Amino acid sequence: MGKTSKDKRDIYYRKAKEEGWRARSAFKLLQIDSECHIFDGVSKAVDLCAAPGSWSQVLARKLNENYKKALEKGPAPKPKIIAVDLQAMAPLEGVVQLQGDITNSSTAEQIIAHFDNSRADLVVCDGAPDVTGLHDMDIFIQSQLLLAALNIATYILKPGGTFVAKIFRAKDVSLLYAQLRIFFPYVYCTKPSSSRNSSIEAFVVCKDYSQPEGYEPNMLNPWMMEESWDFEKLTGVNRTIVPFVVCGDLNQPDSDMSYPLNYDGKEYKYHEPVQAPIAPPYAEALLMNRKRAEKSGSTSNQNDIDVDLSSLD
Ligand code: SAM
């Protein structure tokens, strides 16, 4: 494949290089802003899952523009941007970088510590798992990232603040929307034109952060991974943030797969079903078949399924 083939295939990839963005994702945030005005008045922002850093570049540019405009009117707070990722990121002027896992409470605590007594105007999260190809698993991990980002946001976002996050529009996405609506009266789902149609990714734009009365941010939500977690500790509105509780693990058999009869190393032995169906929906068809066979004198074995047909005779 030639050096230019990706440039030909992907206009945003090409434009990102031309305009000095570290990744084509920059256009997604810029396009979200052109519709939803997420940077208005913003001087403090957190970029979760930030590497290689194109969203941080956009934040740095936009917050500096805001700063210059604000200075024309009088003293203004300097922009503050914190970027976090599992992976190391090349430095960016005006961006404080932390390396860590946002689903890990120690990383969340470091971010919160950076805000000390101040609050962020905007929290963005473009987090995406390394796709495994197991769709349910990828969607689950993506949801975990979104909920981890939301949890961090509940500690540091100022009232009225904005939260933007990548979301996979999969089967149970409405559960996530419902969770977001607990904290934000305005929740939109956007799909910038720079996001490929073939991808299930979209972005939630949540505005006007307002902590529900009685809600206390805590590290129990949404992971509940503390060894000593006790669901009873969560009361009132704190309980309406539905935790994801994983049951089973990847070592368990996959219910959609076929396995050889001796897959677990034991010799296979057939067992009768513990309880045969007593009134299955196909019983009437079996009975008709049996009667037809009896009439014609054939010895069809189609009725050998162990079903009690006496009640239908
Ligand atoms: N917004 C970035 C940009 O514009 O350059 C691109 C982000 S990239 C699509 C997704 C990032 O999520 C990856 O860099 C990955 O390392 C990060 N990520 C995935 N899981 C994470 C986690 N648990 N904690 C922190 N970062 C994570």
Side-chain angles (χ1 to χ4, degrees), residues 216 218 220-221 224 226-236 238-239:
E216 286 164 24
N218 64 75
L220 280 175
N221 266 324
M224 305 229 138
E226 304 290 324
E227 272 175 26
S228 57
W229 77 261
D230 176 4
F231 193 65
E232 296 307 317
K233 281 186 196 157
L234 301 175
T235 56
N238 297 290
R239 239 188 215 208

Side-chain angles (χ1 to χ4, degrees), residues 192-221:
S193 51
S194 49
S195 170
R196 294 186 182 92
N197 279 331
S198 55
S199 160
I200 58 168
E201 82 166 10
F203 295 87
V204 278
V205 177
C206 309
K207 287 202 162 183
D208 204 6
Y209 176 64
S210 34
Q211 200 153 288
E213 215 182 306
Y215 181 79
E216 286 164 24
N218 64 75
M219 288 297 170
L220 280 175
N221 266 324

